[in-house]
Amino acid sequence: MLVSENAFKLWAIHPTADRYTFEGADTLVEFAEAHGMKVRGHTLLWYRYMPDWIEKATFSPEQWDQVIHEHITTVVSRYKGRVQYWDVLNEAISDGGSGALRQTNWSDGLGPDFVDKVFTWAHEADPDALLFYNDYGAEGMNRKSDRVYALVKGMLERNVPIHGVGLQLHLTEAGVPRPEEVQRNIERLAELGLQVHITELDIRLPDRASADMFETQARLYRAYLEACLAVENCTAFVMWGFTDRYSWIPSFQAGFGHALIFDAAYRQKPAYFAIRDALAPQSSKLQDFGAGCNCTP
Ligand code: XIL
């Protein structure tokens, strides 16, 4: 499964009001198709990194409806049948005690039912695509994951099309949600009939990490993979990149790096072997993956 780090984000694909730039996303989707891979479209709406034409806009509510509807319809229809999963909404719940939905000019403009609207529009554009709500810090059992649970439960009760929840899992090796709790959280979402994807796993280490830290990192990678494998509705395990050569961590978290399973020279790290070992008994489940490619599963 292939995920674009940025190519589907609004600033990348729709940088000015009257112009779409599909080249990056097209290239990715074509690559995925050529290699028998599925695609997660990340993401239709995010409160961060909006282009100026959105960030500085002063549209009326009717205009916001029209602009966001048009954006979602254009992007989702273009990749209809080719992007199987969409992170429709990314990080919409605030970290504060209230757990309220984050306020942006576009969410204000769309109104109090903006979440329902944007999922409905995405569904209309591709009824077969599975639609996800994706967030960070809501992986274990905590106040934020309770909020995510309440949000998606409410959507299901209102018959809003939502099919899954994405758990990002951007972690440091020193402070992590307990894997058993992540599994419990996945289970309660399963009880609602939703799928869960691990969407952005990386576990960062200090620049000068000790050998022990790489071992801890490996154990954690394995433990989260096992939490996912333990619950049938956890249907994807996605890392936010694969080589430390290209990871967002060093430029976003000063003093940290080493977050992925291959090092900057593309050598396998302990985390690579740990997840490989955890997958070994599951190899029958990986047949689909092996089928389309010339590689050893
Ligand atoms: C990050 C990308 O990795 C960076 O390249 C970009 O500059 C900023 O966004 N949560 C998300 C992702 O949902 O979209 C973010 O990706 C990382 C945090």
Side-chain angles (χ1 to χ4, degrees), residues 4-6 9 11 42-43 46 48-49 87 90-91 134 136 168 170 200 240 247-248 252:
S4 63
E5 214 171 319
N6 291 306
K9 289 175 183 166
W11 60 263
H42 173 84
T43 168
W46 188 23
R48 304 188 69 191
Y49 298 93
D87 283 336
N90 195 36
E91 304 180 352
N134 188 49
Y136 66 89
Q168 291 187 7
H170 290 294
E200 306 184 17
W240 207 235
S247 159
W248 72 306
F252 281 79

Side-chain angles (χ1 to χ4, degrees), residues 1-5 38-40 42 85 87 134 166-170 196-202 221 224-225 228 234-242 260-261 275:
M1 179 180 290
L2 200 59
V3 182
S4 63
E5 214 171 319
K38 292 186 174 180
V39 180
R40 296 192 88 257
H42 173 84
Y85 309 98
D87 283 336
N134 188 49
L167 307 179
Q168 291 187 7
L169 286 155
H170 290 294
V196 172
H197 286 178
I198 305 295
T199 52
E200 306 184 17
L201 177 61
D202 57 18
Y221 262 99
Y224 295 122
L225 173 59
C228 176
C234 186
T235 48
F237 180 82
V238 179
M239 295 168 277
W240 207 235
F242 63 95
L260 298 166
I261 63 170
I275 63 174

